[in-house]
PDB file of all heavy atoms in Angstrom:
ATOM      1  N   LEU X  21     -23.964  17.983  -8.499  1.00  0.00           N
ATOM      2  CA  LEU X  21     -25.187  18.709  -8.988  1.00  0.00           C
ATOM      3  C   LEU X  21     -25.529  18.219 -10.294  1.00  0.00           C
ATOM      4  O   LEU X  21     -26.818  18.380 -10.570  1.00  0.00           O
ATOM      5  CB  LEU X  21     -24.745  20.213  -9.014  1.00  0.00           C
ATOM      6  CG  LEU X  21     -24.557  20.785  -7.606  1.00  0.00           C
ATOM      7  CD1 LEU X  21     -24.208  22.332  -7.816  1.00  0.00           C
ATOM      8  CD2 LEU X  21     -25.716  20.634  -6.755  1.00  0.00           C
ATOM      9  N   VAL X  22     -24.695  17.712 -11.168  1.00  0.00           N
ATOM     10  CA  VAL X  22     -25.017  17.134 -12.488  1.00  0.00           C
ATOM     11  C   VAL X  22     -25.993  16.006 -12.311  1.00  0.00           C
ATOM     12  O   VAL X  22     -26.976  15.869 -13.063  1.00  0.00           O
ATOM     13  CB  VAL X  22     -23.777  16.729 -13.182  1.00  0.00           C
ATOM     14  CG1 VAL X  22     -24.173  16.092 -14.519  1.00  0.00           C
ATOM     15  CG2 VAL X  22     -22.857  17.936 -13.535  1.00  0.00           C
ATOM     16  N   PHE X  23     -25.772  15.269 -11.272  1.00  0.00           N
ATOM     17  CA  PHE X  23     -26.610  14.121 -11.043  1.00  0.00           C
ATOM     18  C   PHE X  23     -28.004  14.516 -10.506  1.00  0.00           C
ATOM     19  O   PHE X  23     -28.831  13.766 -10.676  1.00  0.00           O
ATOM     20  CB  PHE X  23     -25.785  13.071 -10.123  1.00  0.00           C
ATOM     21  CG  PHE X  23     -24.655  12.415 -10.924  1.00  0.00           C
ATOM     22  CD1 PHE X  23     -23.469  13.103 -10.897  1.00  0.00           C
ATOM     23  CD2 PHE X  23     -24.817  11.337 -11.649  1.00  0.00           C
ATOM     24  CE1 PHE X  23     -22.361  12.552 -11.555  1.00  0.00           C
ATOM     25  CE2 PHE X  23     -23.763  10.786 -12.396  1.00  0.00           C
ATOM     26  CZ  PHE X  23     -22.578  11.351 -12.393  1.00  0.00           C
ATOM     27  N   VAL X  24     -28.025  15.568  -9.695  1.00  0.00           N
ATOM     28  CA  VAL X  24     -29.326  16.091  -9.411  1.00  0.00           C
ATOM     29  C   VAL X  24     -30.210  16.372 -10.693  1.00  0.00           C
ATOM     30  O   VAL X  24     -31.308  15.895 -10.739  1.00  0.00           O
ATOM     31  CB  VAL X  24     -29.241  17.473  -8.535  1.00  0.00           C
ATOM     32  CG1 VAL X  24     -30.645  17.988  -8.236  1.00  0.00           C
ATOM     33  CG2 VAL X  24     -28.360  17.167  -7.393  1.00  0.00           C
ATOM     34  N   PHE X  25     -29.519  16.914 -11.613  1.00  0.00           N
ATOM     35  CA  PHE X  25     -30.317  17.124 -12.922  1.00  0.00           C
ATOM     36  C   PHE X  25     -30.547  15.880 -13.534  1.00  0.00           C
ATOM     37  O   PHE X  25     -31.576  15.656 -14.135  1.00  0.00           O
ATOM     38  CB  PHE X  25     -29.408  18.102 -13.719  1.00  0.00           C
ATOM     39  CG  PHE X  25     -29.922  18.420 -15.124  1.00  0.00           C
ATOM     40  CD1 PHE X  25     -31.309  18.801 -15.333  1.00  0.00           C
ATOM     41  CD2 PHE X  25     -29.181  18.235 -16.205  1.00  0.00           C
ATOM     42  CE1 PHE X  25     -31.870  19.153 -16.456  1.00  0.00           C
ATOM     43  CE2 PHE X  25     -29.688  18.554 -17.365  1.00  0.00           C
ATOM     44  CZ  PHE X  25     -31.143  18.981 -17.563  1.00  0.00           C
ATOM     45  N   GLY X  26     -29.572  14.911 -13.627  1.00  0.00           N
ATOM     46  CA  GLY X  26     -29.834  13.666 -14.162  1.00  0.00           C
ATOM     47  C   GLY X  26     -30.974  12.884 -13.606  1.00  0.00           C
ATOM     48  O   GLY X  26     -31.885  12.356 -14.418  1.00  0.00           O
ATOM     49  N   PHE X  27     -31.076  12.888 -12.283  1.00  0.00           N
ATOM     50  CA  PHE X  27     -32.214  12.199 -11.585  1.00  0.00           C
ATOM     51  C   PHE X  27     -33.560  12.881 -11.977  1.00  0.00           C
ATOM     52  O   PHE X  27     -34.564  12.241 -12.118  1.00  0.00           O
ATOM     53  CB  PHE X  27     -32.028  12.249 -10.049  1.00  0.00           C
ATOM     54  CG  PHE X  27     -30.827  11.391  -9.666  1.00  0.00           C
ATOM     55  CD1 PHE X  27     -30.303  11.654  -8.429  1.00  0.00           C
ATOM     56  CD2 PHE X  27     -30.307  10.363 -10.474  1.00  0.00           C
ATOM     57  CE1 PHE X  27     -29.138  10.912  -7.994  1.00  0.00           C
ATOM     58  CE2 PHE X  27     -29.169   9.525  -9.986  1.00  0.00           C
ATOM     59  CZ  PHE X  27     -28.660   9.942  -8.625  1.00  0.00           C
ATOM     60  N   THR X  28     -33.492  14.263 -12.043  1.00  0.00           N
ATOM     61  CA  THR X  28     -34.735  14.988 -12.428  1.00  0.00           C
ATOM     62  C   THR X  28     -35.211  14.601 -13.746  1.00  0.00           C
ATOM     63  O   THR X  28     -36.360  14.393 -14.087  1.00  0.00           O
ATOM     64  CB  THR X  28     -34.549  16.454 -12.287  1.00  0.00           C
ATOM     65  OG1 THR X  28     -34.149  16.768 -10.870  1.00  0.00           O
ATOM     66  CG2 THR X  28     -35.704  17.259 -12.490  1.00  0.00           C
ATOM     67  N   GLN X  29     -34.153  14.420 -14.623  1.00  0.00           N
ATOM     68  CA  GLN X  29     -34.521  14.131 -16.053  1.00  0.00           C
ATOM     69  C   GLN X  29     -35.114  12.724 -16.138  1.00  0.00           C
ATOM     70  O   GLN X  29     -36.045  12.365 -16.998  1.00  0.00           O
ATOM     71  CB  GLN X  29     -33.145  14.077 -16.955  1.00  0.00           C
ATOM     72  CG  GLN X  29     -32.743  15.551 -17.131  1.00  0.00           C
ATOM     73  CD  GLN X  29     -33.448  16.252 -18.173  1.00  0.00           C
ATOM     74  OE1 GLN X  29     -34.664  16.657 -18.000  1.00  0.00           O
ATOM     75  NE2 GLN X  29     -32.973  16.439 -19.395  1.00  0.00           N
ATOM     76  N   VAL X  30     -34.641  11.724 -15.278  1.00  0.00           N
ATOM     77  CA  VAL X  30     -35.246  10.417 -15.311  1.00  0.00           C
ATOM     78  C   VAL X  30     -36.643  10.481 -14.896  1.00  0.00           C
ATOM     79  O   VAL X  30     -37.591   9.761 -15.409  1.00  0.00           O
ATOM     80  CB  VAL X  30     -34.356   9.453 -14.434  1.00  0.00           C
ATOM     81  CG1 VAL X  30     -35.140   8.198 -14.267  1.00  0.00           C
ATOM     82  CG2 VAL X  30     -33.013   9.261 -15.026  1.00  0.00           C
ATOM     83  N   THR X  31     -36.873  11.307 -13.845  1.00  0.00           N
ATOM     84  CA  THR X  31     -38.261  11.525 -13.325  1.00  0.00           C
ATOM     85  C   THR X  31     -39.167  12.019 -14.382  1.00  0.00           C
ATOM     86  O   THR X  31     -40.322  11.704 -14.541  1.00  0.00           O
ATOM     87  CB  THR X  31     -38.321  12.429 -12.133  1.00  0.00           C
ATOM     88  OG1 THR X  31     -37.384  11.923 -11.134  1.00  0.00           O
ATOM     89  CG2 THR X  31     -39.680  12.507 -11.513  1.00  0.00           C
ATOM     90  N   THR X  32     -38.580  12.966 -15.250  1.00  0.00           N
ATOM     91  CA  THR X  32     -39.357  13.536 -16.300  1.00  0.00           C
ATOM     92  C   THR X  32     -39.706  12.529 -17.365  1.00  0.00           C
ATOM     93  O   THR X  32     -40.776  12.468 -17.961  1.00  0.00           O
ATOM     94  CB  THR X  32     -38.462  14.709 -17.029  1.00  0.00           C
ATOM     95  OG1 THR X  32     -38.259  15.684 -15.968  1.00  0.00           O
ATOM     96  CG2 THR X  32     -39.266  15.302 -18.139  1.00  0.00           C
ATOM     97  N   VAL X  33     -38.692  11.644 -17.650  1.00  0.00           N
ATOM     98  CA  VAL X  33     -39.008  10.572 -18.649  1.00  0.00           C
ATOM     99  C   VAL X  33     -40.186   9.761 -18.213  1.00  0.00           C
ATOM    100  O   VAL X  33     -41.120   9.402 -19.065  1.00  0.00           O
ATOM    101  CB  VAL X  33     -37.675   9.602 -18.842  1.00  0.00           C
ATOM    102  CG1 VAL X  33     -38.004   8.349 -19.607  1.00  0.00           C
ATOM    103  CG2 VAL X  33     -36.633  10.419 -19.459  1.00  0.00           C
TER     104      VAL X  33
END
Side-chain angles (χ1 to χ4, degrees):
L21 293 180
V22 174
F23 292 88
V24 176
F25 179 50
F27 294 158
T28 302
Q29 290 284 72
V30 172
T31 303
T32 300
V33 168

